[in-house]
């Protein structure tokens, strides 16, 4: 356990009121009352860590989780970072906060499991299906997606939960923060996993952050998971975690992007409705978790650490910002292409995307060099 954990636990117990099998964190709204995040995974981690005096930016957490290494296994509807537990494992292996994840087992897991981890003294997060988040219509009326929120309190008598949703993306694409109650029975119908900090988190030094950043960029460039502080190899990941699609190996990072875009050719022979659906899913996956987040968080990370990365960081920032704008334009083009059923555009879209992937690799290689130098 890190130094200061017992002190923090005592402080938290004084801020939590436990009564009648219920617990309420009265500091939750104050701590969570921050600007909305850019992604549910990293914004929930950010606000959870703030409760324990560790101020980490979303871009730093994105780097620690190795989330730049998007994965592709042959299904055009699925492209993005590793699964939630694996991202948290990468973060711990990179020297970041240690978070335990437990699967929610229907018929076995119940509210007492949530109460147990909520009163353990450290932050709790829920990975849920969005359809269980009945506190906002945008979740109820749209296609179910995985979403991560914080659990801040429970009232088992009233069957309510206090939650913090720091990335509520409304129908207009505007991100908001929701801090308030949720129906506990609805919530439990959609929980996939629940996660909690197992010890008081400790801040990382800039050199430690840069070492982790450089390591994960190298993974992106090579397309392979290296053995690093207990992180499994790619062969172990495929055989033990079942991430590979039958007959195809999961590709990561630069190789994953190229394989994903290469399969755009498959859209030309699809029926119209399938073509429209796949274009929408490609648009969604590029917007959330992969290209747009990668470039946006890269710019944020460089801006945050410009003093330690050196003057050449400004060039990486400009590369990242330019790439973000160009990915955004292309992604809108993909979305409109699907709506208009313009299948003949796919070769041109593929060519543009491959050019952006090449620029993206060049940008990350430049950052990797700076990060390795700063970590020495």
């Amino acid at each position: 356990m890190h130094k200061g954990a017992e002190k923090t636990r005592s402080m938290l117990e004084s801020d939590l009121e436990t009564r009648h099998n219920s617990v309420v964190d009265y500091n939750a709204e104050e701590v969570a009352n921050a600007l909305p995040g850019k992604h549910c995974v990293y914004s929930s981690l950010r606000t959870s860590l703030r409760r324990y005096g560790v101020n980490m930016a979303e871009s730093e957490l994105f780097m620690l989780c190795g989330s730049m290494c998007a994965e592709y296994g042959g299904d055009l509807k699925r492209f993005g970072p590793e699964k939630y537990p694996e991202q948290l494992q990468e973060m711990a292996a990179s020297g970041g906060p240690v978070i335990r994840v437990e699967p929610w087992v229907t018929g076995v897991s119940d509210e007492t499991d949530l109460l147990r981890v909520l009163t353990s003294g450290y932050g709790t997060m829920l990975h849920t299906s969005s359809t269980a988040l009945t506190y906002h219509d945008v979740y109820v009326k749209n296609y179910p997606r995985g979403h991560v929120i914080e659990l801040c309190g429970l009232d088992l008598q009233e069957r309510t939960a206090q939650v913090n949703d720091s990335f509520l993306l409304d129908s207009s694409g505007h991100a908001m923060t929701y801090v308030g109650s949720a129906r506990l029975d609805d919530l439990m119908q959609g929980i996939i996993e629940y996660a909690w900090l197992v010890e008081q988190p400790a801040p990382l030094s800039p050199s430690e952050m840069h070492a982790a950043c450089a390591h994960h960029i190298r993974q992106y460039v090579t397309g392979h998971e290296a053995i690093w502080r207990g992180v499994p190899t790619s062969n172990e990941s495929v055989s033990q975690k079942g991430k590979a699609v039958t007959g195809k190996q999961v590709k990561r990072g630069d190789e994953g992007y190229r394989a994903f875009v290469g399969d755009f050719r498959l859209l030309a022979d699809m029926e119209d409705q399938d073509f429209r659906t796949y274009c929408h899913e490609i648009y969604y996956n590029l917007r959330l978790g992969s290209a747009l987040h990668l470039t946006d968080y890269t710019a944020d990370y460089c801006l945050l650490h410009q003093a330690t990365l050196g003057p050449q960081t400004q060039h990486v920032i400009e590369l990242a910002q330019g790439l973000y704008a160009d990915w955004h334009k292309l992604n809108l083009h993909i979305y409109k292409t699907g709506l208009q059923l313009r299948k003949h555009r796919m070769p041109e879209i593929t060519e543009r995307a491959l050019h952006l992937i090449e620029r993206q690799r060049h940008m990350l290689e430049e950052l990797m060099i700076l990060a390795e130098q700063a970590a020495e």
Side-chain angles (χ1 to χ4, degrees):
M1 183 176 289
H2 291 302
K3 294 180 180 178
E6 291 300 329
K7 180 179 178 181
T8 303
R9 186 183 297 275
S10 300
M11 176 192 71
L12 287 170
E13 287 174 348
S14 67
D15 293 336
L16 293 170
E17 180 180 325
T18 307
R19 64 187 190 282
H20 307 301
N21 292 327
S22 302
V23 58
V24 180
D25 184 353
Y26 289 109
N27 283 341
E29 185 165 359
E30 179 182 351
V31 174
N33 188 22
L35 292 173
K38 295 183 176 182
H39 190 286
C40 63
V41 171
Y42 318 110
S43 62
S44 64
L45 281 170
R46 177 200 66 184
T47 53
S48 187
L49 292 171
R50 284 185 61 200
R51 302 182 195 281
Y52 309 99
V54 176
N55 292 311
M56 295 188 71
E58 283 185 58
S59 60
E60 293 177 310
L61 294 164
F62 178 84
M63 296 294 179
L64 281 177
C65 290
S67 302
M68 68 188 69
C69 294
E71 296 185 342
Y72 180 64
D75 182 353
L76 280 167
K77 290 183 178 180
R78 298 182 180 275
F79 178 67
E82 288 183 297
K83 294 179 181 179
Y84 183 58
E86 281 73 28
Q87 288 188 71
L88 299 182
Q89 180 188 5
E90 289 278 5
M91 179 173 65
S94 302
V98 179
I99 296 178
R100 181 174 175 179
V101 183
E102 289 288 344
W104 185 266
V105 182
T106 304
V108 178
S109 304
D110 61 24
E111 59 267 39
T112 59
D113 295 303
L114 301 179
L115 188 66
R116 171 177 51 84
V117 298
L118 191 60
T119 56
S120 68
Y122 298 107
T124 306
M125 288 161 285
L126 304 178
H127 179 207
T128 74
S129 169
S130 57
T131 53
L133 306 177
T134 52
Y135 50 80
H136 200 286
D137 283 349
V138 73
Y139 294 130
V140 178
K141 296 179 179 179
N142 285 292
Y143 185 82
R145 308 277 187 185
H147 193 64
V148 179
I149 60 174
E150 284 186 280
L151 179 66
C152 307
L154 285 174
D155 189 326
L156 301 189
Q157 289 185 330
E158 297 295 328
R159 307 302 295 170
T160 59
Q162 184 81 4
V163 300
N164 169 34
D165 184 345
S166 51
F167 185 66
L168 196 165
L169 199 63
D170 69 12
S171 55
S172 69
H174 177 67
M176 302 181 293
T177 295
Y178 173 83
V179 181
S181 63
R183 291 197 288 267
L184 180 57
D185 294 316
D186 291 346
L187 199 59
M188 290 195 300
Q189 291 297 315
I191 298 175
I192 302 167
E193 292 134 348
Y194 58 105
W196 68 99
L197 286 155
V198 299
E199 59 186 18
Q200 164 68 22
L204 274 69
S205 68
S207 62
E208 290 172 324
M209 272 299 315
H210 297 326
C213 176
H215 167 74
H216 289 302
I217 293 176
R218 190 167 294 282
Q219 286 185 326
Y220 176 95
V221 171
T222 61
H224 299 288
E225 285 188 27
I227 297 175
W228 192 57
R229 301 189 194 174
V231 178
T233 65
S234 56
N235 289 334
E236 291 172 334
S237 296
V238 170
S239 61
Q240 294 177 12
K241 299 175 186 175
K243 292 189 294 183
V245 175
T246 303
K248 289 190 178 183
Q249 184 178 4
V250 171
K251 295 184 178 180
R252 307 180 75 239
D254 185 70
E255 289 184 7
Y257 271 90
R258 293 178 187 278
F260 176 59
V261 170
D263 278 353
F264 286 2
R265 59 184 169 77
L266 302 175
L267 274 67
D269 297 326
M270 289 184 180
E271 298 293 332
D272 288 352
Q273 186 54 49
D274 288 338
F275 179 79
R276 183 176 284 119
T277 298
Y278 272 88
C279 283
H280 179 270
E281 290 302 301
I282 290 169
Y283 163 83
Y284 180 87
N285 288 326
L286 288 173
R287 182 186 181 195
L288 292 175
S290 61
L292 286 170
H293 271 116
L294 188 158
T295 51
D296 196 18
Y297 281 141
T298 297
D300 288 349
Y301 183 85
C302 290
L303 284 165
L304 184 64
H305 290 283
Q306 199 162 7
T308 53
L309 288 171
Q312 291 178 308
T313 313
Q314 182 59 38
H315 184 238
V316 180
I317 294 170
E318 292 169 0
L319 291 175
Q321 292 173 337
L323 264 170
Y324 178 89
D326 290 343
W327 271 119
H328 181 66
K329 291 176 186 175
L330 179 60
N331 210 26
L332 287 176
H333 188 51
I334 292 170
Y335 184 77
K336 292 176 181 177
T337 295
L339 289 178
Q340 298 166 355
L341 298 175
R342 303 292 178 85
K343 299 179 185 179
H344 65 276
R345 291 178 180 171
M346 294 315 300
E348 172 249 336
I349 287 173
T350 300
E351 184 178 351
R352 286 173 61 184
L354 289 172
H355 178 62
L356 293 179
I357 291 168
E358 189 61 36
R359 287 169 55 192
Q360 189 166 276
R361 179 188 177 104
H362 174 69
M363 171 196 71
L364 289 172
E365 286 176 333
E366 286 203 20
L367 176 56
M368 180 176 67
I369 293 170
L370 298 178
E372 287 176 338
Q373 292 172 346
E376 293 177 353

